[in-house]
Amino acid sequence: MKSAPFEHHEPDTVDEAVSLLESLDDPTILAGGQSLVPMLRFRLANPDVVVDINGIDSLDYLDEGDGHLRLGALARHADVEDSDLIDEKYGSFADAAPLVADPQIRNRGTVVGSVAQADPKGDWGSILLAHEGEVIATGPDGDRAIPADEFFLLPYDTTLGEQELITEIRVPEPAPTEGSAYHKLKRKTGDYAMAGVGVRLVFDDDGVIESAGIGMTAVDITNARATDAEEHLEGERPSPDLFATAGELAAEQSNPESDEHGGADYKERMVDVLTQRALSDAAERAGTVTVQRRVTQ
Amino acid sequence: MTDEREITLTVNGTEHTIEVEPRRLLVHAIREDLDMTGTHIGCDTGNCGACTVLKDGEPIKSCLMFAAQADGAEILTVEGMEDLPEADDIHPLQEGFREEHGLQCGYCTPGMLMAGKALLDEHPDPDEETIRDAISGNLCRCTGYQNIVRSIEYAAEELENRAAADGGAVAADGATDGGPAASPEGGHAAPEFGGDADTFCGREDCCGGPDGADPFDRDALLDDAGDADDTADADAGTDANDRGDTK
Ligand SMILES: Cc1cc2nc3c(=O)[nH]c(=O)nc-3n(C[C@H](O)[C@H](O)[C@H](O)COP(=O)(O)OP(=O)(O)OC[C@H]3O[C@@H](n4cnc5c(N)ncnc54)[C@H](O)[C@@H]3O)c2cc1C
Ligand code: FES
Ligand code: FES
């Protein structure tokens, strides 16, 4: 099926994009188009106006600054996959990038577009939650930073205003004793997650977990945090038993639905397994003692 | 209604100026406006990869991009393969798919070739895992991928040989390595259909079937029909294993 007709605007700057969003009727932002184009084709989205941000060069970056890892709205999945900075310091991002879709889609799709899409099966939302990151939005009233926890509302629905553009997502630069990881279960290469878990662990100098962040993919109506498991981990030393209980708590807090790929019970069990695996990778990357996995690969 | 807009696409080195509506997909512009139907549409949803083309050297799915977004871009489609500098008559990748039987119905092949081309541009000597990753966005419903992997390996080797030859060294002919022995009488295992002398039936455009049987020999085919049930069983077994893997 063809998209319904629309007007195509290609602003060169963020200001121009924002004034288009403000002045035009029923605009939709087009980034990588890897989710929006199919939605337009199936007429799940019928905007009169498409504001294509691919020409705004100032949004094409992946760097560190202000104490954060910053991904501009045009940072593609493939940019994350190919980045040395990510490989060196951001385990969860490095784990996730090659697991998102397939090479062609990673060449076009953006991390920010994926977060904006707010598909509960999207991988990046969980990582943003685990890292307690922020979404930076620009609108007619200027910039604002939306904490990840306050961003996702419902499937495909967020707290972003209709006239706002996300310019960037950011996560804090890691402390020296921090590690992160992402594990994903999918039916075959290129598929969305049946379940996924992103983890970030920060240790104090004595090897005690100071802070824990866990984000879950495809097992609730949005990407969701496993707060019970996080609380259980904080103030403790890593051990197989600790991680096993955290896995159980994450599974209990998840709300997967049964579908053709697996029953809800099975997916909960997978949340448990993936959480333990991600925790043990994160702990290892933080440079603390290797925690023997209870659940083997 | 929205206005048409003039865009310029350089496809396989030739510049084309066309008028498109903003909603025109790149794949439709290529197939319908430019009449190059080598680029296929399999799924229309970004899943199958049959529509893969290179945009400014990068593989993308042309069903997930509007033509207007490619204004000014260089596009390579399967039609352009034979004119690339590394091609003789046809491109080494195309040669590989022919020699290693990398296609059956051929529907996925244009996309596979483009994914393969993008891969070899970046990794001239890829290992199997890298090849499989590079074609992971391309579905094939016929071959089971094994021969596609071999076809790309063939092309990598061929390109390397040519580079060596260009450098003054004597090129080895990759295709004449000692092939596997002929398969046992009546056996259908026949692991390699590489066009090797031992298993080659002699027909130029043969299907390359398991034991190199003449595809037009009706009697022989009817004789073989008894094997059909075995094959079905084997398939069912494989399916069950696949399902088991994910649980
Ligand atoms: C076959 C297939 C498999 C896939 N598999 C996965 C997978 O395994 N994991 C995964 O996470 N994703 C997967 N995806 C989705 C892919 O990651 C998309 O790239 C992503 O969801 C959307 O990013 P985009 O840049 O393409 O955004 P677009 O499609 O351009 O936009 C998506 C939505 O976000 C909005 N938007 C985009 N950018 C902004 C912005 N800067 N500010 C405000 N709003 C914005 C758009 O208006 C639109 O509503 C898959 C897609 C396909 C087609
Ligand atoms: S037709 Fe484009 S991916 Fe299938
Ligand atoms: S050869 Fe038929 S789909 Fe690949």
Side-chain angles (χ1 to χ4, degrees):
Chain A
M1 188 148 67
K2 276 189 187 167
S3 314
F6 56 79
E7 270 176 44
H8 185 214
H9 292 266
E10 293 172 286
D12 295 322
T13 64
V14 172
D15 284 350
E16 229 181 287
V18 170
S19 63
L20 285 169
L21 292 175
E22 198 179 11
S23 61
L24 297 169
D25 211 23
D26 190 22
T28 288
I29 294 167
L30 171 64
Q34 306 301 290
S35 295
L36 185 61
V37 174
M39 290 200 303
L40 291 167
R41 306 272 310 289
F42 291 122
R43 306 211 176 182
L44 296 170
N46 291 298
D48 291 331
V49 175
V50 165
V51 178
D52 182 343
I53 61 171
N54 286 281
I56 308 180
D57 294 340
S58 66
L59 293 179
D60 190 3
Y61 59 89
L62 186 169
D63 63 11
E64 280 179 332
D66 306 332
H68 285 84
L69 168 71
R70 310 179 297 191
L71 283 87
L74 290 181
R76 319 265 169 192
H77 307 307
D79 296 331
V80 181
E81 195 179 2
D82 296 342
S83 158
D84 292 337
L85 172 67
I86 294 288
D87 272 354
E88 270 162 41
K89 289 176 72 175
Y90 298 90
S92 58
F93 285 78
D95 288 342
L99 299 176
V100 172
D102 57 49
Q104 291 96 318
I105 289 170
R106 294 200 291 273
N107 279 336
R108 292 290 301 161
T110 65
V111 177
V112 166
S114 166
V115 170
Q117 176 72 5
D119 183 335
K121 289 190 158 80
D123 296 301
W124 295 116
S126 299
I127 289 172
L128 194 65
L129 286 169
H131 284 262
E132 299 182 64
E134 287 173 334
V135 172
I136 310 294
T138 303
D141 302 328
D143 293 350
R144 67 181 178 124
I146 310 167
D149 277 335
E150 294 167 22
F151 186 72
F152 301 107
L153 281 180
L154 288 168
Y156 315 108
D157 194 9
T158 69
T159 53
L160 190 73
E162 276 178 16
Q163 298 178 349
E164 282 182 314
L165 166 81
I166 303 174
T167 53
E168 175 181 303
I169 60 158
R170 50 165 69 191
V171 303
E173 264 187 57
T177 51
E178 176 176 325
S180 68
Y182 186 71
H183 276 256
K184 169 174 175 175
L185 175 73
K186 52 197 167 63
R187 206 171 47 91
K188 66 162 185 58
T189 305
D191 272 2
Y192 282 97
M194 288 167 70
V197 177
V199 159
R200 170 181 177 246
L201 291 178
V202 188
F203 292 84
D204 70 13
D205 292 339
D206 298 325
V208 172
I209 299 172
E210 203 170 73
S211 127
I214 303 177
M216 300 182 289
T217 308
V219 290
D220 212 325
I221 56 165
T222 63
N223 294 106
R225 271 178 83 163
T227 46
D228 294 345
E230 290 172 0
E231 276 166 31
H232 180 74
L233 290 163
E234 282 167 359
E236 303 290 334
R237 279 174 197 285
S239 73
D241 281 345
L242 182 76
F243 288 177
T245 311
E248 278 165 30
L249 289 169
E252 268 170 39
Q253 214 176 350
S254 71
N255 282 301
E257 279 187 13
S258 298
D259 61 18
E260 66 274 28
H261 303 318
D265 288 353
Y266 165 66
K267 291 184 186 179
E268 276 183 28
R269 171 87 181 111
M270 290 303 106
V271 170
D272 179 355
V273 172
L274 297 172
T275 302
Q276 293 187 59
R277 288 181 185 170
L279 284 170
S280 100
D281 281 357
E284 203 174 317
R285 287 170 183 171
T288 65
V289 283
T290 306
V291 178
Q292 204 63 45
R293 280 180 187 162
R294 255 224 180 149
V295 190
T296 47
Q297 292 281 3
Chain B
M1 281 304 278
T2 50
D3 294 333
E4 295 211 341
R5 180 179 139 189
E6 195 176 276
I7 61 164
T8 304
L9 302 177
T10 304
V11 184
N12 306 327
T14 309
E15 214 177 272
H16 301 269
T17 302
I18 51 173
E19 301 252 318
V20 292
E21 268 192 286
R23 62 173 165 168
R24 189 90 168 144
L25 291 172
L26 178 59
V27 70
H28 290 140
I30 293 171
R31 287 177 55 84
E32 292 166 26
D33 296 324
L34 303 180
D35 215 17
M36 294 187 197
T37 51
T39 303
H40 290 169
I41 301 177
C43 66
D44 248 6
T45 52
N47 287 279
C48 76
C51 66
T52 302
V53 300
L54 302 198
K55 176 186 168 273
D56 297 323
E58 265 186 355
I60 56 134
K61 292 180 171 175
S62 59
C63 73
L64 290 185
M65 181 169 188
F66 294 110
Q69 294 187 285
D71 188 11
E74 298 259 355
I75 307 286
L76 180 73
T77 72
V78 66
E79 287 92 343
M81 294 287 279
E82 65 188 36
D83 296 326
L84 292 172
E86 65 266 32
D88 272 344
D89 248 3
I90 53 175
H91 191 276
L93 271 162
Q94 293 170 310
E95 216 174 290
F97 275 69
R98 185 177 66 188
E99 292 303 318
E100 298 293 337
H101 299 280
L103 65 147
Q104 288 177 28
C105 80
Y107 204 88
C108 68
T109 314
M112 289 289 180
L113 288 167
M114 300 322 292
K117 161 79 179 143
L119 167 72
L120 295 183
D121 283 349
E122 224 180 298
H123 303 278
D125 186 19
D127 58 17
E128 176 170 348
E129 196 188 329
T130 313
I131 296 176
R132 287 187 180 272
D133 187 54
I135 59 169
S136 61
N138 296 70
L139 298 181
C140 176
R141 300 286 79 168
C142 301
T143 64
Y145 302 101
Q146 200 65 36
N147 286 357
I148 295 178
V149 172
R150 287 192 192 130
S151 305
I152 296 174
E153 283 169 347
Y154 176 102
E157 210 171 298
E158 186 64 28
L159 285 165
E160 197 184 294
N161 288 344
R162 285 190 201 173
D166 285 350
V170 181
D173 185 354
T176 54
D177 292 351
S183 48
E185 187 66 17
H188 280 251
E192 304 273 348
F193 319 144
D196 307 280
D198 288 340
T199 51
F200 188 47
C201 70
R203 187 181 284 267
E204 264 280 302
D205 295 308
C206 168
C207 66
D211 37 22
D214 181 344
F216 303 106
D217 183 346
R218 198 165 162 273
D219 289 341
L221 289 177
L222 286 175
D223 269 358
D224 276 357
D227 292 345
D229 282 346
D230 293 351
T231 315
D233 279 356
D235 279 347
T238 318
D239 265 14
N241 285 343
D242 281 354
R243 247 177 270 127
D245 268 359
T246 60
K247 304 255 158 147

